[in-house]
Amino acid sequence: MPSRQEELLDAAIDVLGSQGVRALTHRAVDAAAGMPFGSAANYFKTRDALISAVVERFAERDRTAWQAIAGFLHPTDPGELAAALTAYVRRALGPERAVTVARYGLFVEAALRPALQEHLAASAAELRRWATQWLRDIGSTDPDGDCTAIMDYLDGLILHQLAFPGPPDSLMVAMDRTVRRLCTTGG
């Protein structure tokens, strides 16, 4: 059961993902959380404090989600990895769209405010460790390099699909081609 503070931060992530960073105010968070006016301000005195806490909560949620994925995903070949990554992209663009938009909003904030980068970078590093192991397990000749290339490709693909949606059926074809190319040529 999330604490009151976590509920506020989850509501803030929803506001960020559905309305954008400019809409992220204490009042908007209170409304989204269904809490009395002033609730968010009691925990986060300034907007900067709110954004910093949102980054921490987002990184925590991201790690938890990827721990669950890593617990059941064990691809044995490039095709299985491509299918799993395609499912991840479809979820990020569909049911998790607001969280995905929030992710990119936080990336932009981190680019403008380097103090926010630490929590996002730690979460990304953990995710990359799991992905590197998956690549090692399917026979990549350069699992670290392939991981960087695939994760960067995923970020670019998702961002592009958010801004300029293409045919959903093309995702699997593109992902399969990219994963197979990287894992069979060494990058």
Side-chain angles (χ1 to χ4, degrees), residues 19-152:
Q19 300 174 43
V21 73
R22 296 182 93 189
L24 187 61
T25 65
H26 290 94
R27 187 177 298 257
V29 171
D30 292 340
M35 294 187 188
F37 173 72
S39 296
N42 284 334
Y43 288 100
F44 318 105
K45 300 297 180 201
T46 65
R47 187 168 187 277
D48 283 347
L50 175 62
I51 291 173
S52 293
V54 167
V55 167
E56 288 178 32
R57 177 67 174 159
F58 187 87
E60 176 187 316
R61 283 177 50 172
D62 209 26
R63 274 192 304 278
T64 300
W66 277 99
Q67 283 171 343
I69 291 169
F72 72 83
L73 180 63
H74 303 287
T76 59
D77 61 45
E80 285 182 13
L81 180 59
L85 294 175
T86 300
Y88 169 77
V89 170
R90 286 187 173 138
R91 183 167 174 77
L93 296 171
E96 295 289 322
R97 181 180 171 79
V99 173
T100 303
V101 172
R103 166 191 295 295
Y104 289 103
L106 292 173
F107 284 2
V108 170
E109 284 297 307
L112 300 172
R113 299 169 45 198
L116 301 176
Q117 293 173 6
E118 180 181 331
H119 293 289
L120 293 173
S123 181
E126 190 169 350
L127 182 151
R128 287 176 187 261
R129 278 193 298 277
W130 291 318
T132 298
Q133 185 59 50
W134 295 332
L135 288 159
R136 194 173 285 116
D137 291 346
I138 65 172
S140 168
T141 58
D142 180 13
D144 291 319
D146 290 346
C147 178
T148 297
I150 288 172
M151 299 309 283
D152 290 350

Side-chain angles (χ1 to χ4, degrees), residues 77-90 93 153-154 157 161 166-180:
D77 61 45
E80 285 182 13
L81 180 59
L85 294 175
T86 300
Y88 169 77
V89 170
R90 286 187 173 138
L93 296 171
Y153 173 75
L154 274 178
L157 175 68
Q161 287 293 315
D169 294 341
S170 67
L171 288 175
M172 182 62 189
V173 172
M175 187 67 67
D176 190 66
R177 185 175 348 144
T178 299
V179 170
R180 287 180 189 280

